[in-house]
Amino acid sequence: MYPPIKPYESGFFQGANSEKHQLYYEVSGNKEGDPVVFLHGGPGGGTDPEDRQFFNPEKYKVRNRKSAELENNTTWDLVKDIEVLRQKLDVTKWHVFGGSWVCTHPDRVKSLVLRGILTLRRSELRFFYQDGTSHLFPEQWEEYLAPIPEAEQHDMIRQYHSRLHSPDENIRLAAAKAWVKWEMATSRLIVSADAVAQAEKDDFANTSARIENHYFVNEGFMRDGQLLEKQEIDKIRHIPTIVVQGRYDVICTATTAWALKRTWPEITLHIIPDAGHSSREPGIEKKLVEAADIMASKGL
């Protein structure tokens, strides 16, 4: 990772489709550098100051963005919001760097660096939230099941949705913390106690859980498998792309990254043999920095 840096510009901008959306952004790195937009995962995962350290501060001008409102918050609204930010910052084209769940406008992209591929197919969501990862983390799975009565556990995403929108604040918060704890406890090959502790932060848990669940219960606001269809890939096939995937990622499994590679053989796919999902695992972190350096060196 590169040394820590601080943003030289930050603020909020109005979302494209709703007055309720005030999206936070920040700009760091070289003011004259090659623009890259950092898009956090989740959806709703948020950013961390360490995220700036993936990029060479002498070569890159880094933008971050995030939002927490559910109204008019769909995949297609996100693309429009990102376009608003691009125009606000007077960027013609930029590199896109993100993990897990990322969306953007292909006509404005120089390159893509992606980590832990999620396309929101029903099979992917079922593996993590219903029947799959549960077989590898049984003790954490029991804690995730706890807020939901046994008779209702046949559809965990939908049952969590009802509780995350309960009029009872205590029910909402308990559900949010259990939802986020499940993800934090399974995001690394070796469980991180510090990551799991993040789930106890009320604001973080509530925001992350509600936004993630909102997208998942609506299946990403797209047809099942849409992002892997040839006609969709053809729209971005020309974009230089590097994908970094943890072999033991049980949140966004390697089968999806491999399905992407089969549909889009032009991408460079790195499967890290000793990593799960988190960008903070050493092998993934190292390969992401290398990927950003490669894209900066291409002069795109």
Side-chain angles (χ1 to χ4, degrees), residues 204-235:
F204 175 76
N206 188 54
T207 297
S208 297
R210 282 168 55 86
I211 293 179
E212 278 193 343
N213 182 272
H214 168 69
Y215 273 80
F216 298 163
V217 80
N218 288 289
E219 298 179 348
F221 304 94
M222 66 186 81
R223 60 186 174 272
D224 192 46
Q226 178 175 340
L227 296 181
L228 292 173
E229 294 171 357
K230 181 180 181 299
Q231 67 266 26
E232 297 296 324
I233 295 297
D234 285 345
K235 298 174 184 177

Side-chain angles (χ1 to χ4, degrees), residues 24 32 37 56-57 70 74 91 113 117 122 154 166 173 186 196 208 225 234 261 268 273-274:
Y24 175 79
E32 304 301 322
V37 59
N56 186 332
L70 295 183
T74 72
V91 173
V113 175
I117 299 297
R122 295 187 191 101
H154 60 283
S166 169
L173 192 57
T186 56
V196 173
S208 297
D234 285 345
K261 175 68 172 176
T268 298
D274 57 352

Side-chain angles (χ1 to χ4, degrees), residues 158-190:
R158 195 160 296 280
Q159 294 306 322
Y160 260 96
H161 184 266
S162 68
R163 285 155 180 80
L164 290 168
H165 292 269
S166 169
D168 187 321
E169 182 178 1
N170 291 327
I171 292 176
R172 289 199 309 271
L173 192 57
K177 288 182 176 182
W179 176 279
V180 173
K181 188 175 183 179
W182 169 238
E183 183 170 340
M184 294 295 100
T186 56
S187 66
R188 305 187 189 211
L189 184 60
I190 306 299

Side-chain angles (χ1 to χ4, degrees), residues 272-285:
I272 308 304
D274 57 352
H277 180 68
S278 174
S279 64
R280 296 294 180 256
E281 292 178 277
I284 290 181
E285 187 176 83

Side-chain angles (χ1 to χ4, degrees), residues 12 19 58 87 106 126 135 140 159 207 214 230 276 297:
F12 291 85
E19 292 183 358
E58 295 182 1
Q87 293 169 15
R126 180 172 178 80
H135 295 265
Q140 291 89 348
Q159 294 306 322
T207 297
H214 168 69
K230 181 180 181 299
S297 70

Side-chain angles (χ1 to χ4, degrees), residues 60 63 74 114 190 201 222-223 229 236 244 255 277:
Y60 274 116
R63 279 88 166 181
T74 72
L114 307 175
I190 306 299
K201 297 179 179 179
M222 66 186 81
R223 60 186 174 272
E229 294 171 357
I236 58 174
V244 180
T255 189
H277 180 68

Side-chain angles (χ1 to χ4, degrees), residues 45-64:
T47 58
D48 184 279
E50 286 188 19
D51 294 331
R52 306 176 198 132
Q53 295 176 242
F54 285 115
F55 310 99
N56 186 332
E58 295 182 1
K59 293 186 177 182
Y60 274 116
K61 184 176 184 179
V62 187
R63 279 88 166 181
N64 293 342

